[in-house]
Amino acid sequence: MGGYHRGEIAVQERAGFARQAGHAHGAIGNTVPDVAVAFLADQPHLVVGGTDERGRVWATQLTGEPGFLTVPRPQTLHIGALPPPEDPLAAVLAGAGAGVGGGAEFGAVGGAGPGPEPARIGMIGIEPATRRRMRMNGRAVRDGHGLRVELDQVLSNCPKYIQKRDHHPVTDQGTPTPRTAVDSTELSPAQQRTLRAADTFFIATTDDRGDADASHRGGNPGFVQVVSPRLLRWPDYAGNAMFLTLGNLELNPAAGLLVPGWETGTSLHLTGSARTVWDGEEVARHPGAQRLVEFEIAAVREIAAASPLRWSAPAFSRFNPPTAA
């Protein structure tokens, strides 16, 4: 694991946080601390970002009973779940490093030469009830009914902008909602309303080499602006000064968003391209913003009954700035 890449450094310097970023870099490791092992073991879900077989970047969510995330050794995460077939990353993750296993090194199958590549993914373990989260990036291969991830980056994040929620499994005694997927190239009126009411989403990005990252974004309802059915805008608030997301966008504009349906289990997935807006007059119209991000939508997938989890109404973070008028 090296230092910051050139995109991250460029954004840190432009934002005036190069010194703070230098100090913060010490928080990035490539092993999971003992306290984080216990944290992951308690989680029923994990946000994952990656690239599909067509080169599009998506963010999604994997779920399981607590204990489905384990750390067999400090630099390895095992995920005891795969996405359902309707998921935009299902094919890539189900076939990640196919044939690699049984102690073989990544990229080699039985000594016969290079094999299928592992999937480079970014991940967030997040516990809204306690406002704790940690990010992990690495290379995943299929391992039975789950994934084995060799970690390249591990870091904890501050609790800012996380809305407090408690989860519970579905307890509906009636006919279960079938899992269905609807695709489009722009947001429907209902999906636009979902985004305008959103207080949380997750964004996946990659650098120019394909190394992936997944990050959390939160704010008061209304912080995501629907400019048009194919264009979103949101404020970029003060964070950890690393600029891992914006640094990736500096090198590769491809990005994917996941908007969880906390109360319904529906997931809204968007893929497209994003850019950072630095214009001072534009930024000044958004309270608390240090920059803006604009996201142009290329494809939309909405999956009903994507998650078995349901969550309580949010207690909003005290750090959320007011939304723009």
Side-chain angles (χ1 to χ4, degrees), residues 34-66:
D34 289 344
V35 65
V37 173
F39 168 77
L40 291 170
D42 288 338
Q43 304 314 310
H45 68 134
L46 181 75
V47 174
V48 177
T51 304
D52 72 7
E53 61 276 14
R54 295 172 55 184
R56 302 176 300 181
V57 176
W58 298 90
T60 191
Q61 178 181 230
L62 299 176
T63 62
E65 292 294 327

Side-chain angles (χ1 to χ4, degrees), residues 11-27:
V11 175
Q12 292 160 7
E13 292 178 346
R14 182 166 186 176
F17 286 98
R19 177 173 295 182
Q20 293 92 322
H23 295 313
H25 187 265

Side-chain angles (χ1 to χ4, degrees), residues 131-299:
R131 296 192 167 105
R132 297 168 67 197
R133 59 179 164 173
M134 64 177 296
R135 286 161 76 172
M136 299 164 287
N137 303 329
R139 295 151 292 135
V141 298
R142 176 74 177 270
D143 187 3
H145 296 292
L147 297 166
R148 174 168 54 89
V149 188
E150 296 301 313
L151 300 171
D152 297 318
Q153 289 187 324
V154 178
L155 65 149
S156 295
N157 282 133
C158 72
K160 280 185 176 181
Y161 322 120
I162 297 178
Q163 325 315 334
K164 186 174 182 179
R165 285 179 163 92
D166 293 304
H167 76 274
H168 57 86
V170 176
T171 57
D172 186 3
Q173 300 299 314
T175 302
T177 302
R179 186 185 297 118
T180 57
V182 177
D183 292 324
S184 64
T185 57
E186 63 180 30
L187 296 168
S188 69
Q191 290 166 344
Q192 293 178 48
R193 290 192 293 272
T194 294
L195 280 156
R196 291 189 176 104
D199 57 62
T200 300
F201 69 88
F202 299 91
I203 178 169
T205 58
T206 75
D207 63 17
D208 53 346
R209 300 178 303 173
D211 291 325
D213 179 72
S215 186
H216 162 277
R217 293 292 184 270
N220 286 331
F223 87 109
V224 179
Q225 295 184 338
V226 181
V227 181
S228 77
R230 295 192 63 183
L231 185 65
L232 305 177
R233 180 188 295 131
W234 62 83
D236 190 64
Y237 299 138
N240 58 18
M242 295 180 184
F243 298 103
L244 304 186
T245 297
L246 300 191
N248 280 350
L249 294 178
E250 187 78 4
L251 302 181
N252 178 13
L257 307 187
L258 166 66
V259 186
W262 299 104
E263 298 176 357
T264 64
T266 296
S267 62
L268 180 59
H269 307 265
L270 314 176
T271 189
S273 59
R275 71 180 187 96
T276 306
V277 178
W278 298 89
D279 180 81
E281 291 186 8
E282 281 291 318
V283 173
R285 298 189 182 102
H286 296 76
Q290 297 192 335
R291 292 148 297 275
L292 305 176
V293 178
E294 287 191 344
F295 179 79
E296 185 173 355
I297 296 167

